[in-house]
Amino acid sequence: MDKILQGIVASEHTEGVKRAVISKVLSSASSQTPDEQVQALLHLSAGWICEEESLFLQEVGQLTFEAWACHHKEALQNYLCKSFLVTVFASEVKYPARVLGFVKECLRIVSDPDGACQLIQRQCVSLARDYPDLGPMAELSSLLLDYPLCIPDGPYAVGLLQYLIKNLSRLNAPPTEGDQRKCLADVALVSKAVGAIWQRNIQAIAPSLVCLFEVISQVPQEDTAPPPSPALACLVQFITKDIVDMVTKRVTADANISDEQLKTALIRIVDWLSWPGVRNVDTWAVTFFVNLAAVKKFSILIHVTIATVESVFLKLSFPVVRGSAFAVFRHMMLSFQHSPEAFHKITNLVPGIISKLQDENTVSSRECCKNLADLLYTLMYHFPGYPEMYLSVIESIKSYPIPPEETMKSSLLQVTWAASKNHFGLSSKFAPRSETGKAGLVNLGNTCYMNSIIQALFVIKGFREEILNFPHSVSKQSIMLQLQTTFAFLAHTQRAAYSPDTFLQVSRPPWFTAGAQQDCSEFLKYLLDQLDEEESSLAKLLSSPAPVESALKPSTSGKTVSTEESRSSIHPVQTVTTLVQKHFGGKSATSIRCLKCNYISRREEAFVDIPLAFPETDASSRTRGLGGGDAKKRPCPDVAVCEPEELHEAQKTVDLEQAHGSGHCLMRDEALTPDEAFAYQVSTSSQGSRQKDLEGLLRHFFNPELMNGDNQYHCDSCSHLQDAAKITHIVEAPEILVLTLMRFSYDPVLQKRCKIQDHVILPKNLHLPRRNSDGESRPHEYPSEDEDLEMALPEVKKLKSVEGDKTSVEYSLVGAVVHSGLSSESGHYYCYGRTDHNDESLVPLEGIRDEQWCLFNDDRVSGSSFESLRDISSRFRNDTAYVLFYQKVGSNDARHLSNTAVRSRFQDMVAKDNSDYLQEQEREARNTTSSRRSISGTNPWYKDPDDSNEPPGGCGLGGGGVPSGHLVF
């Protein structure tokens, strides 16, 4: 029969005639035929099916094989197991995919395929090895899926998987659409087969993933094969998330795997996103990113992000890969916070992608558009200061609402590489950043007086932004330049705290002793004076040909600045309005009326702060004006001096304990021992503590004063010393009102300045009285306040409060520097700052919306509240508000962007430092891997300062009651 068929197909008849004849021959297949004849027919037809190129012969072979195989299944079983499967793969097969398809058809027909499956099982590895093309792999995968008994076990399963992985990595995508669809279907078959093999051989997962990593981590060399195909993504989609996490952790922590290999592997995993229709690719990529960050491999993350961010972003326009691509893109953008480089690489692509998504107008594209808009707003919020670059971005997403600021902050804190506390050692250099997102300042040795002032100024948004955008930088020794640098790092550093070494060097007053505790109010006045002087000098020099460099060096390198001069808060009226004058500058008018001739002299003077004395200690300060009068008559602008002469009336031999009971500061001949001094200091502070309110101190400040006795006024009209009445009022209210509570007075018992511990009630909102400056050019006529003087100074010369001011200016509290301790020479300063006044205008704080406050305690920053500041003295007796910062309600200082804009020079400086910091952490992690310890809950560096339990400390005598001289740094 086989010879007849061979003759028919070899004849010269037409195919139609041949088919008719063959059909008659095939009709006899159901009749009884000897086994030898059936075996010959099966062998003949199998050859035509598997080896011939002619479609006619393939068709005849298929018809012949089916006819005899269906009616002679036992003969088929023998042929398949004893002949075909034993010999077919012994030599090279021309069409392996056809052969595997034929085998699957045979298994479908035979009664008992188990024997044949066992033979196939033994040959799977060699089949995958010898025939690596996608067609044979797909047919083999289909065979394994339809007949699981063919799946090998143990090491054979591992071998098969390794060959499938290597074969698929060499896949080249076909150019035509039809071929591409077939390719995708075949790869999906291989993927399913790999999943089936893993399901039957769980122990084979790990070695096959090792093989996969070896393939994707092979560092490319010149003139070598192309990179592995992204089709490998199909193989890993069945791996569960916990296994993904475990595998990537092991890989990133393996010391035998180089950084170059990790970098190459991650780039190729990201490239997997381009293969459509697979799951969990984003899980692999994001988990790899996270675990690389956990071991401080920041250089790899930076390189991969920069290299791949554009291609990932462009994938958002393809619906089939959009979900995975956006998940990876979002993680890349939100984690890359140290520099805007990655974000800026895709800004020019945003309009095109948004346009494509909107044109598509599907559920997927609309959701992607909204999520992308939220992400872009967050990135522009985090990297401000590039309006031209962001113009097209804003225009393309303007129809989408800006997310709340807290939402954007939360997104940034969740993903940043440096956000996790669990991945840092004990070194304070690499401490985690505060959960508030704000950076602290390193204490450089009793420099809390400087840190608290910097942090208080930093939270004043308008002043901060104008400092950062000050257009001129001349000398490195310029205080303005160093303040800009410090503000830029506080705004954008990834470090937990910035070390202001250079700022300290250029801004420390020449009379301040390095390493000693100083008065923060005195430092603030000096700092503002120097900033004002630098800007004024620069304004003059810009219009002159003189070199600018030499003129902007601090006064300490040129002329000698006296203590009294630098401490004065009086500023002469200048033609150039400096930043200090714009934000802190106010103007007061002081009128003095001669009580004999009624001649009135009037003087206006600028001020940057108002020193508020406590009435009981105001023996001499009440004779001075707002600016402090003659600064040479007082050791410090915020000291209410108890003159020694007044104290000499007391008995010098009074026992120390009588002095305690009397409540007065008394001298005695002998010097006190340190223990006696401390006991006396604590005793007097506790006995003399009373409660005041800030409005009362302001009223006391503006009360009329009587100038008589030794303090008589020299009247120009009388040309003689006369009794006089003096009154001061505000004619121009500053944008930022600085109030200094004069808490430090000279105690002759301790022979040093001591602290007035009175608790002052701080209002959230404050009304500053202000009068118009009418009549200021006519001193001989009575100005508007003259009637007040007549009322306030009758013949008995008893002063009383002035009431009925014409206008008042409303302020809201935005910051306060608190002093913890018993004297100005010891203790610790820290700062409360209101951080929520970033809206279009500052509004009063009477319950309109939630307040956000931070407590800045050198390098530690924590969330706080106004109530904490208000009640601090009632909870910690030695912690008292000292310098207060009130911002004018509706002030232009609050109408700024929702985040700090920084000049590009400082952006680049901070970005470079952030990159250096990430690499420092990476090196530190490598050096300390073997000795890393878990973070102790009692470690003071990591302990968040909970101001409801302990007052913050760290620079001297604080609420804990440490004796002076035992400074805590």
Side-chain angles (χ1 to χ4, degrees), residues 113-130:
D114 291 358
C117 288
Q118 291 178 1
L119 291 173
I120 296 170
Q121 188 183 78
R122 299 190 192 105
Q123 300 186 61
C124 280
V125 177
S126 59
L127 287 171
R129 178 195 63 204
D130 297 338

Side-chain angles (χ1 to χ4, degrees), residues 442-452 504 516-517 858 955:
V442 176
N443 191 313
L444 302 173
N446 265 346
T447 57
C448 60
Y449 69 90
M450 176 188 74
N451 290 349
S452 60
L504 174 63
Q517 182 63 284
D858 285 335
C955 199

